[in-house]
Amino acid sequence: MPSVSFVSLGCPKNLVDSEKMLGLLAEAGCPIVSGADGSADVLVVNTCGFLAASRDEAVGILKEAAGQKSRGEIKRLVVAGCLVQRDGRGLLDAVPEVDALVGVHNRADIVRAVTGKTPTQIRKTRAAKGSTKSAAATQGPPAGSLLFLGEYHASSWVDANKSDTARLRLTPSHYAYLRMSEGCNQKCTFCTIPSIRGPMHSKGVDEIMAEARELIADGAVEINLLGQDTTSYGIDLGYGPGLSGLLRTLNTLDGVEWIRLMYAYPSDFTDEMIDAIAECEHVAKYIDIPLQHINDRVLKAMYRRVTRKQTEALLEKLRTRIPGVSIRTTFIAGFPGETAAEHRDLRDFIRGFGFDMLGVFPYSNEPGTPAHRMKSHLPPELIDERVEELMLSQQQVAFKRAAARKGERLRVMIDGYGDSGVYPARHQGQAPDVDSVVYVDGGEYDPGQFVDVKIAGTRDYDLLARPATRSLSVLR
Ligand code: SF4
């Protein structure tokens, strides 16, 4: 079977797709190799096509891969993911060397795109030869046979792609991402995701529990729940208990310490959900709630279905009913027509509320979205200025909040092996890959181990800590 090297771009949802595709390829018998040593027959790039910047990054990587192919370093180039779903065959104008395109609704076809055979044909070949090793099957389909597997059928995700079991995971084994739903039914005017990922499909509770058990058996003590809009969980299934029911059920699992909810849409956040987060022992006291803006006119133009007053009331409720909660959000700077006063509204809100973590995206003018057709688009330089001002506002907030934690005792999870005895770790209010971290100085640990620490200082956004039971005189 052809050996495969894999590049995964974009967000954790795309990472789950990458892990699933790697699992399918490994199951089919393809050796998975690092691209760096030049031993791969096929290179798969799982792309992100959400924003212009991510598209540019993906095309740059594909052009480099096309160079590898023309030098004979790889035999075949396969492109998967959001960019395929968005641009389809148009991607070939930018990178004609691509051999196969696999859209997000067709990820089960990755085996065919890489080997030229379906998993069933591979199994039959193996059975006929009586060996799993000697399936001299193929080194990929003949050159020139472009495969385009990017059609969307309403049932295709449900039938073929829904299960994320049997993944070959790319995260460290102690934490994992679990996709609870795919697609989105919201209609935010700046967003391309519903047109790429389709309408919302929730997985059933049983299926999510089975996936969670598999991840726990594979070593995960932290499970991060993903979906484009996690607060709408279960509505499409007619599942009455919704997100709160799912969280309470997941909380009964043995072996998991932290269950973390990502991407909570604000207008559908109910009191039952807040109670479930507050009451469930293993649900991390962490809310990732993308707010996008705070000014009412801009929120309306974004079609966010929530006002400033409602947002403030919800945030207040989250803070009072979930003691110690960490709140992360994202905002968009420079939405079409955003006035200087509306920008100041957002800046002052950021300064005043004190989010634990915050990201700011420059507005990206995406063709096909309602915002693209709006008037009064702002010049890129002004958008960049506004992004910078918002990020600097948050920096002051975050540094102050971090400094105020000095002396606090926290339970952290070790995230990796440290350099010079200093281990990167996180407390339950810090999500992997996107948030600040805690550096633990002193002791010897393994990733996934929980340690009680005392905060001794800060380094920019990060916290510096010592084991709570030890007293070290020097902290690097
Ligand atoms: S909720 Fe999120 S994914 Fe859905 S349309 Fe709005 S921004 Fe896009």
Side-chain angles (χ1 to χ4, degrees), residues 13 50 183-195 197 227-230 232 263-266 290 292 302-305 332:
K13 285 161 276 192
F50 171 41
C184 184
N185 289 346
Q186 308 289 354
K187 295 184 168 48
C188 305
T189 53
F190 52 83
C191 183
T192 53
I193 286 178
S195 69
R197 294 266 168 182
Q228 260 78 31
D229 163 15
T230 49
S232 299
Y263 314 120
Y265 189 86
Q292 314 301 7
M302 289 177 162
Y303 198 65
R304 291 290 292 176
R305 302 190 300 112
I332 292 175

Side-chain angles (χ1 to χ4, degrees), residues 29-57:
C30 296
I32 310 296
V33 296
S34 143
D37 62 4
S39 61
D41 296 313
V42 183
L43 175 64
V44 179
V45 182
N46 190 21
T47 57
C48 174
F50 171 41
L51 299 174
S54 46
R55 207 161 49 238
D56 292 349
E57 183 197 11

